[in-house]
Amino acid sequence: MSIQQNRINELVERRAAAKLGGGQKRIDAQHQKGKLTARERLERLLDAGSFEEFDMFVQHRCTNFGMDAKHVDGDGVVTGQGTIDGRLVYVFAQDFTVSGGSLSKTMSEKICKVMDLAVRSGAPLIGLNDSGGARIQEGIDALAGYGDIFERNILASGVVPQISGIFGPCAGGAVYSPALTDFTLMVKNTSYMFLTGPSVVKSVTGEEVTQEELGGAAVHASKSGVAHFAAASEDEGIATIRELLGFLPQNNREEAPFLPTNDPVSRVDDALNEIVPDNPNKSYDMYRVIAGIVDDGRFFEVHKDFARNIIVGFAHMNGRSVGVVANQPQVLAGVLDINASRKAARFVRFCDAFNIPLVTLVDVPGFLCGTQQEYGAIITNGAKLLYAYGEATVPKVTVTLRKSYGGAHIVMSCKQLRGDINYAWPSAEIAVMGAKGAVEVLKDVEEQEYNDLFCNPYQAAQKGYIEDIIEPRNTRFRVIRALETLAGKHQEVPAKKHDNLPL
Ligand code: HXC
């Protein structure tokens, strides 16, 4: 055999060995926990045959605690590039079979390399986390590695979409990389995120809590809002990431991909003419309205289980990606509270950063009142949403379906926050407050008189605060036409180093 052939054979063998990570035993252990390996995850995430791996032979440089005798090619993370639906993405997936996926300085260098490439090439970054945190044997070097990653997360923010999948442990300061990215997805029962685990919590606060109760997917998807998605399985999680990317552009200079549809622009939905109940205290389902106006009724929801009084997510309208923000009258009457404001503000800012037009559907009775909300800073949190809409320069089309009262009216993409096209249904009530509240303050005013004057869209229409009052069944057509006329929109903001949004 020639020397060259020997060398090629050696390469093939070394590649095969590197692909086994921490070895078959640990791979089996990973499977027994109901988890996939890093490579299996990437295989499912990326288009078949598209993955190109980088730094497969990289090894750590630690000599402490006998680590110089423990080398595994790749050092616990698989990194590289591939495509999803034919579009370039950069990826890293931590390999729990190698030192529990713990982060060494070398691992961070591998991750930073793909992060830098993602920004330079203008392509999304997807990180799949499954790690015991900082590699303890490396001490401060491992911490520095996290710092390097965090800094890149920050610099990449608003430049390329960043998506974090949590497929195992993610604890301690390691949680801050996902927190800095745009979307975090967790897998139920096999992933968790917390700053300190149950045993530390017990010793510090005396509180007894399981891993799942403290930082499982269900908790973060419904209570803290840390996770935007909670998948029932790894396969579902990977499919969700792939689907999400279909609504996003590659970077902040591009448009999201066009998705052709057979759903006619002029499709009317007669049921929308009847959807708002005559009784203002009765609710209806905002999901039905969204389905009635977007292409093929297909809505990709973000933060589905968190702050359900507001709905946010992506859809297509005549093939173009849009961000939908809608109050949900079925949950807390659609009131804006701290969590709803935070949730929608973050979504609006994402859409604005990535050129995705905003469609806002309004039915909001106001902000939630009371000590809990005030002590929790509803003022600052409500201002986040106000700020997000006010600074957004993407096309903004707003439809007021029913209530639009007080401060909440202003916040929900009103004209004065540079709303481009604002429509109202005939059932809209655009006013300082509802009739009941108003007559309690203004004792000499009759409820009927107030209703006649304010609880309709005509005051707003007379003053040009809305462009038109539209028939509900025509909403799809009207919104699409508005979006198409705004496709070339360009709006500047005053020069500044950066803003100081109320955090
Ligand atoms: C080095 C680690 C490690 C770590 C796990 N391993 N975590 N090695 N540094 N942080 C190794 C284990 O020694 C073991 O090696 C292998 O990975 C698998 O770990 P197990 O404990 O056997 O697995 P499991 O029972 O599934 O438990 C997983 C775990 C546990 C819950 C993640 O390993 C654990 O608690 N790890 C430590 C977590 C931690 O405290 N990390 C530091 C957080 S602070 P062998 O060879 O024995 O199989 C932090 C700061 C970041 O991360 C700051 C950023 C600013």
Side-chain angles (χ1 to χ4, degrees):
M1 197 180 292
S2 70
I3 293 174
Q4 292 314 322
Q5 191 56 52
N6 266 331
R7 286 185 171 157
I8 291 167
N9 290 350
E10 184 197 357
L11 172 65
V12 171
E13 277 167 27
R14 285 197 63 164
R15 275 189 190 284
K19 283 186 181 174
L20 281 180
Q24 194 58 50
K25 252 190 171 168
R26 286 168 197 258
I27 293 175
D28 294 343
Q30 180 86 343
H31 289 157
Q32 273 155 20
K33 287 182 200 158
K35 291 163 68 180
L36 298 169
T37 65
R39 280 170 203 283
E40 288 165 344
R41 287 169 184 152
L42 290 179
E43 224 166 75
R44 285 162 165 77
L45 177 69
L46 301 170
D47 296 340
S50 72
F51 181 49
E52 178 170 333
E53 185 167 349
F54 302 146
D55 296 334
M56 188 185 219
F57 302 114
V58 158
Q59 298 185 349
H60 70 75
R61 299 183 292 273
C62 177
T63 54
N64 305 325
F65 305 109
M67 285 300 283
D68 42 353
K70 285 190 193 166
H71 281 291
V72 176
D73 279 349
D75 197 31
V77 69
V78 184
T79 62
Q81 66 180 41
T83 60
I84 291 181
D85 291 330
R87 299 161 75 213
L88 177 67
V89 293
Y90 287 87
V91 291
F92 71 85
Q94 290 172 318
D95 182 352
F96 192 82
T97 69
V98 179
S99 295
S102 57
L103 189 120
S104 64
K105 185 70 170 70
T106 314
M107 181 195 283
S108 78
E109 287 165 6
K110 285 183 66 172
I111 293 173
C112 288
K113 186 187 277 187
V114 285
M115 295 179 87
D116 290 342
L117 279 164
V119 170
R120 240 182 285 149
S121 314
L125 177 84
I126 304 164
L128 305 183
N129 297 256
D130 187 359
S131 166
R135 190 166 300 166
I136 296 163
Q137 297 91 332
E138 293 210 6
I140 187 71
D141 275 345
L143 297 186
Y146 274 119
D148 287 335
I149 293 171
F150 298 165
E151 179 64 21
R152 280 166 178 77
N153 285 135
I154 294 160
L155 295 177
S157 182
V159 180
V160 293
Q162 299 183 81
I163 300 170
S164 298
I166 314 298
F167 285 76
C170 184
V175 295
Y176 285 115
S177 176
L180 291 167
T181 63
D182 298 305
F183 298 101
T184 297
L185 175 142
M186 296 185 71
V187 179
K188 289 181 187 161
N189 304 314
T190 51
S191 73
Y192 53 86
M193 295 176 81
F194 39 64
L195 281 174
T196 49
S199 54
V200 177
V201 169
K202 190 172 176 208
S203 67
V204 175
T205 69
E207 195 183 5
E208 286 198 42
V209 65
T210 64
Q211 254 177 207
E212 197 61 25
E213 289 164 346
L214 186 61
V219 163
H220 283 313
S222 65
K223 287 192 197 303
S224 71
V226 165
H228 300 80
F229 307 98
S233 66
E234 295 204 12
D235 279 332
E236 187 185 300
I238 287 166
T240 301
I241 293 173
R242 286 182 61 98
E243 192 178 356
L244 169 62
L245 280 168
F247 294 94
L248 313 185
Q250 289 291 88
N251 57 60
N252 61 343
R253 297 182 309 276
E254 293 185 16
E255 303 281 321
F258 183 80
L259 186 73
T261 178
N262 292 324
D263 195 355
V265 171
S266 57
R267 172 172 58 80
V268 295
D269 186 342
D270 289 328
L272 296 187
N273 275 8
E274 303 286 331
I275 198 166
V276 173
D278 290 339
N279 180 345
N281 298 324
K282 278 207 160 154
S283 70
Y284 58 94
D285 189 3
M286 188 60 87
Y287 288 113
R288 174 63 189 85
V289 179
I290 297 169
I293 66 172
V294 301
D295 289 359
D296 307 301
R298 179 176 165 240
F299 180 54
F300 180 85
E301 191 169 5
V302 175
H303 259 151
K304 180 155 90 56
D305 299 319
F306 178 64
R308 290 172 49 244
N309 36 333
I310 201 156
I311 300 168
V312 303
F314 298 105
H316 288 97
M317 294 197 82
N318 200 23
R320 292 206 166 75
S321 185
V322 294
V324 178
V325 181
N327 311 110
Q328 169 58 296
Q330 277 191 341
V331 180
L332 297 171
V335 76
L336 282 178
D337 58 5
I338 292 168
N339 286 345
S341 304
R342 287 201 294 127
K343 164 176 163 177
R346 181 103 178 121
F347 183 75
V348 167
R349 295 197 95 221
F350 176 84
C351 291
D352 188 47
F354 288 101
N355 312 316
I356 299 171
L358 288 160
V359 174
T360 304
L361 305 175
V362 182
D363 188 346
V364 62
F367 278 100
L368 189 59
C369 58
T371 51
Q372 204 196 2
Q373 291 290 308
E374 296 291 356
Y375 296 172
I378 181 65
I379 295 172
T380 313
N381 285 289
K384 285 178 185 154
L385 183 54
L386 173 64
Y387 200 107
Y389 268 123
E391 73 172 341
T393 57
V394 287
K396 293 184 280 193
V397 177
T398 305
V399 185
T400 301
L401 279 54
R402 188 171 60 172
K403 298 168 192 167
S404 185
Y405 293 156
H409 160 72
I410 303 294
V411 168
M412 293 298 295
S413 200
C414 72
K415 201 79 209 149
Q416 291 69 31
L417 295 183
R418 305 193 298 179
D420 292 302
I421 301 291
N422 292 50
Y423 295 129
W425 284 4
S427 46
E429 302 172 12
I430 303 173
V432 173
M433 59 176 77
K436 273 210 156 38
V439 296
E440 267 172 39
V441 182
L442 310 174
K443 289 167 190 70
D444 51 347
V445 170
E446 294 292 321
E447 197 169 323
Q448 193 54 48
E449 186 189 359
Y450 183 91
N451 262 330
D452 292 345
L453 190 59
F454 289 128
C455 292
N456 59 63
Y458 292 99
Q459 281 270 329
Q462 276 166 19
K463 297 183 160 81
Y465 295 147
I466 54 174
E467 272 58 53
D468 201 1
I469 303 167
I470 63 173
E471 230 189 289
R473 67 194 191 125
N474 294 333
T475 304
R476 171 174 166 80
F477 166 68
R478 297 298 295 264
V479 170
I480 289 175
R481 191 166 64 181
L483 288 170
E484 290 186 347
T485 57
L486 292 165
K489 177 184 174 187
H490 180 75
Q491 196 164 37
E492 297 283 341
V493 287
K496 51 178 112 172
K497 183 177 176 191
H498 62 69
D499 56 37
N500 187 17
L501 117 135
L503 295 171

